[in-house]
Amino acid sequence: MSHSWTTPQANRGYSAPGREKTTSLLDAEDVKKLRDAVPDLKESLEIGREGEPDHPNHWPAEEGELVGFKQIMMDFHEKCKSLHMEVMRAIAVGLGIDEHWFDGFTDVGDNTLRLLHYPEVKKDVFTINPGQVRAGAHSDYGSITLLFQDSRGGLQVQSPNGTFVDATPIEDTCVVNAGDLLARWSNDNIKSTIHRVVEPPSGDGDVYPARYSIAYFCNPNFKSLIEAIPGTYEAEKDRKYPGINSGEYLVQRLAATY
Ligand SMILES: O=C(O)CCC(=O)C(=O)O
Ligand SMILES: [Fe+2]
């Protein structure tokens, strides 16, 4: 299908249920085994930065309810790009570095907007198959993620003691998760947030209704080298990770989960 997600390099387009398995596993074979046993119960559409000649977005035809879709998504992409830059300024202040330290790393907007749909599902799917989730436990890969969820519930984040706690939806707010590149950048002063989507709090009937969410994955500009920020380590030996190119790191992580 012409709208389908194609490659980690492009990271754009539609992923049908069962295509991507979010997990903390890094090995593609291990992920495949897990995906075959308990596929994530979701479908998604990824929208990247518009205007990349090698990686066009897969826009649906502008007809019916979708008239104006492209413009709305592009505007939202821009708004979230600015919000990313603002949140990174706050993080810079928190780290004790110049407020605008991250600006030159975040101004391109190499970010991905993901529209997610978790279809209605029978409740017994979760009892028949223990370990079944809507989205498996994982951390996101970039700097931060802005996560907008509807009122259904089911999103959980892992607390430092290892237990998962509900990120109960609060109207007109978004959840901000730290990603793995931010952890590397900050030499683990900021840890990436492990999160997952499980069955929502139980309601009436024998099905859980559909859930919708939007994840805006923010990334350092794909051309940047991500290495421990000055001040986040004392001696050279305290650096926990080698420097890595942002774009290459993301491709590597995406390649394991699809
Ligand atoms: O749907 C959600 O609330 C979470 C989605 C998510 O974590 C992801 O797509 O990476
Ligand atoms: Fe996530």
Side-chain angles (χ1 to χ4, degrees):
M1 191 183 90
S2 68
H3 291 117
S4 295
W5 192 96
T6 50
T7 63
Q9 285 78 10
N11 192 26
R12 285 163 170 78
Y14 171 72
S15 299
R19 176 97 201 251
E20 186 218 25
K21 177 73 192 171
T22 53
T23 158
S24 295
L25 300 172
L26 296 177
D27 181 77
E29 269 306 304
D30 295 341
V31 177
K32 184 177 181 310
K33 275 186 214 144
L34 187 66
R35 182 197 294 116
D36 291 347
V38 275
D40 283 358
L41 303 174
K42 63 171 196 238
E43 58 180 346
S44 69
L45 180 73
E46 324 283 317
I47 301 169
R49 184 162 66 82
E50 181 71 354
E52 271 236 57
D54 292 344
H55 303 304
N57 279 314
H58 304 217
W59 297 111
E62 292 262 330
E63 55 195 22
E65 286 184 332
L66 292 175
V67 173
F69 177 80
K70 175 177 173 180
Q71 193 58 49
I72 290 169
M73 290 302 141
M74 282 171 47
D75 291 349
F76 188 59
H77 217 288
E78 275 302 304
K79 277 211 174 98
C80 290
K81 174 188 160 182
S82 304
L83 182 54
H84 174 219
M85 294 189 72
E86 279 188 53
V87 175
M88 293 311 289
R89 285 180 196 133
I91 289 173
V93 171
L95 288 171
I97 54 177
D98 183 85
E99 181 177 345
H100 294 284
W101 197 90
F102 290 111
D103 285 10
F105 289 97
T106 50
D107 54 351
V108 174
D110 282 327
N111 308 322
T112 301
L113 174 59
R114 158 182 271 191
L115 308 180
L116 279 149
H117 170 222
Y118 300 85
E120 175 182 286
V121 57
K122 286 200 128 152
K123 288 182 179 171
D124 64 12
V125 165
F126 295 92
T127 37
I128 290 166
N129 202 351
Q132 179 65 62
V133 284
R134 275 178 153 168
H138 67 284
S139 49
D140 296 339
Y141 316 139
S143 50
I144 57 167
T145 301
L146 309 172
L147 193 51
F148 304 83
Q149 50 170 340
D150 67 13
S151 58
R152 299 289 186 207
L155 176 66
Q156 295 185 325
V157 296
Q158 196 174 33
S159 74
N161 70 18
T163 54
F164 278 92
V165 295
D166 289 336
T168 305
I170 304 171
E171 215 176 320
D172 294 330
T173 67
C174 73
V175 174
V176 180
N177 280 329
D180 294 328
L181 276 175
L182 181 57
R184 295 178 74 110
W185 228 353
S186 68
N187 209 32
D188 276 346
N189 281 292
I190 299 171
K191 303 232 167 22
S192 53
T193 323
I194 307 277
H195 55 286
R196 65 183 186 186
V197 183
V198 297
E199 54 194 293
S202 202
D204 299 338
D206 60 358
V207 296
Y208 292 117
R211 174 176 184 269
Y212 291 88
S213 66
I214 300 173
Y216 186 80
F217 300 109
C218 305
N219 301 310
N221 298 343
F222 285 164
K223 286 197 176 125
S224 5
L225 177 71
I226 302 305
E227 52 186 355
I229 296 162
T232 58
Y233 59 96
E234 280 181 18
E236 279 301 308
K237 68 168 177 42
D238 301 325
R239 287 190 192 218
K240 293 192 179 168
Y241 307 95
I244 196 162
N245 169 266
S246 166
E248 283 169 22
Y249 178 79
L250 289 158
V251 166
Q252 182 195 314
R253 293 294 302 272
L254 284 165
T257 50
Y258 277 86

